[in-house]
Amino acid sequence: MMRTRPLKVALLGCGVVGSEVARIMTTHAADLTARIGAPVELAGIAVRRPNRVREGVPAELVTTDATALVKRGDIDVVVEVIGGIEPARTLISTAFEHGASVVSANKALVAQDGAALHAAALERGVDLYYEAAVAGAIPLVRPLRESLAGDKVNRVLGIVNGTTNFILDRMDTSGAGYSEALDEATALGYAEADPTADVEGFDAAAKAAILAGIAFHTRVTLDDVHREGITEVTASDIASAKRMGCTVKLLAICERAEDGQSVTARVHPAMIPLSHPLASVREAYNAVFVEAEAAGRLMFYGPGAGGSPTASAVLGDLVAACRNRLGQTTGPGESAYTRLPVSPMGDVITRYHISLDVADKPGVLAQVATVFSEHGVSIDTVRQQGKDGEASLVVVTHRASDAALTATVEALRRLDTVRDVASIMRVEGE
């Protein structure tokens, strides 16, 4: 028998994502009622600028007093899509205190304070869901948290930021430089007016922290994630990747150590072979590989941002939270029982592509090779070219630790014959 009293939802934020959530809740009300087992009513929408025209959003629901909205006491679920740390953190905590479950798309907050938020939800017997915080419409949090709960995940590797993927894709396919590709991304609406969070890797790093914590059942915060952006990637790097049969992607990589005693989480540009499925992920799309012991390699692909895709993930969580509300239960909370430490970037083992500007004279290659050997870094291939007293060396290593490679580069810079270390890029996805 279907319950007749509606479940009440408070919406915090009514921008691109929030307005789409409100629209879907209105236009799909009958379907949502059938799927949940009770009507769902949008009880209030908190915004900062109430006079802005919001097509399809009932004006009588709009308020600027978000605190009063989440304190009402009759709210069953709060949907938070305002982003940032504050006031989102305080509003979510207040919602928990007044007995409401929370659905959030706030990657920065979950990556920074996920443990505290989970603890607060557990204490109050309510839910915290955040599928939309990681990869838009792509189901990723729920498969890791539920579908693979009986398996052992060893690696998560993927493209989790559409803006940077669009920029790198344009640099690869059109030969554009970084600035030119960024301008195109901005014009098309893929990049914000201030693209720092995307191009410097902060957005991807927050997502990596969330994914690593869930995948490895341990606590990983944004501060634990090694982060490099794409602002230093040049047309020359893209051309070098092509000569190797590779392309350049900004990757989020979360790994369990071979001995199982620690994990790593990192975000940085990397060359990947064209034969790897991630190499074919174009435009602003996202894709993530999950490698588990029993399930093997799984790939999740789709639009990672935008109003409609993100709203889809939010509504999926809303349905789950409402069903739990009706059943007087809660979904899975934080699982951090392994308490694995997060290893520093210096311990990470991978391959490297290094471009050196050197003097064009005999013995330079031997000097460079000696430096690599002295630091225990084995060379896979070397390509040399030069004229008029100047030359370049492109060295691709076998697998080595980041610490060993860093020491090698510092020693190379001390050589009189090395004019500059033009670029260093990791090679992944073998």
Side-chain angles (χ1 to χ4, degrees), residues 235-256:
S236 177
D237 293 327
I238 301 294
S240 292
K242 284 187 173 183
R243 284 192 289 269
M244 288 178 58
C246 293
T247 190
V248 178
K249 299 291 186 183
L250 182 73
L251 298 180
I253 305 170
C254 312
E255 295 178 304
R256 189 190 299 266

Side-chain angles (χ1 to χ4, degrees), residues 164-354:
T164 52
N165 198 58
F166 179 89
I167 292 170
L168 293 173
D169 184 44
R170 279 294 183 267
M171 292 176 70
D172 181 77
T173 57
S174 71
Y178 168 77
S179 296
E180 184 182 352
L182 173 59
D183 288 343
E184 183 179 357
T186 303
L188 292 172
Y190 291 124
E192 301 287 345
D194 179 2
T196 302
D198 292 320
V199 300
E200 294 293 355
F202 289 100
D203 175 86
K207 295 170 181 176
I210 294 169
L211 292 174
I214 298 171
F216 306 134
H217 302 277
T218 194
R219 287 180 177 168
V220 180
T221 69
L222 183 58
D223 290 339
D224 295 320
V225 181
H226 174 82
R227 175 193 55 79
E228 298 172 31
I230 66 167
T231 55
E232 301 301 318
V233 177
T234 65
S236 177
D237 293 327
I238 301 294
S240 292
K242 284 187 173 183
R243 284 192 289 269
M244 288 178 58
C246 293
T247 190
V248 178
K249 299 291 186 183
L250 182 73
L251 298 180
I253 305 170
C254 312
E255 295 178 304
R256 189 190 299 266
E258 290 186 7
D259 62 6
Q261 299 306 302
S262 64
V263 299
T264 60
R266 50 195 165 104
V267 167
H268 53 72
M271 297 179 179
I272 57 173
L274 294 176
S275 58
H276 194 283
L278 289 179
S280 63
V281 179
R282 300 295 186 186
E283 301 284 337
Y285 276 76
N286 287 190
V288 178
F289 264 92
V290 176
E291 299 177 10
E293 285 195 355
R297 300 179 73 191
L298 310 172
M299 182 172 176
F300 301 83
Y301 171 84
S308 294
T310 306
S312 172
V314 169
L315 267 294
D317 281 349
L318 177 62
V319 168
C322 286
R323 286 173 174 169
N324 291 344
R325 199 79 170 181
L326 287 180
Q328 297 183 330
T329 186
T330 56
E334 183 189 33
S335 175
Y337 72 92
T338 63
R339 296 182 175 85
L340 295 173
V342 182
S343 296
M345 187 62 190
D347 293 346
V348 170
I349 306 293
T350 189
R351 297 175 66 204
Y352 292 87
H353 176 281
I354 305 103

Side-chain angles (χ1 to χ4, degrees), residues 5 8 67-78 94-95 97-100 325:
R5 185 178 73 79
K8 294 189 176 183
T67 301
L69 179 60
V70 299
K71 282 183 172 181
R72 276 179 37 171
D74 63 337
I75 300 297
D76 293 286
V77 182
V78 170
T94 302
E97 290 169 4
H98 287 78
R325 199 79 170 181

Side-chain angles (χ1 to χ4, degrees), residues 408-420:
T408 301
V409 170
E410 290 175 354
L412 288 170
R413 288 194 168 108
R414 292 194 292 269
L415 292 178
D416 292 339
T417 51
V418 174
R419 310 288 193 228
D420 186 32

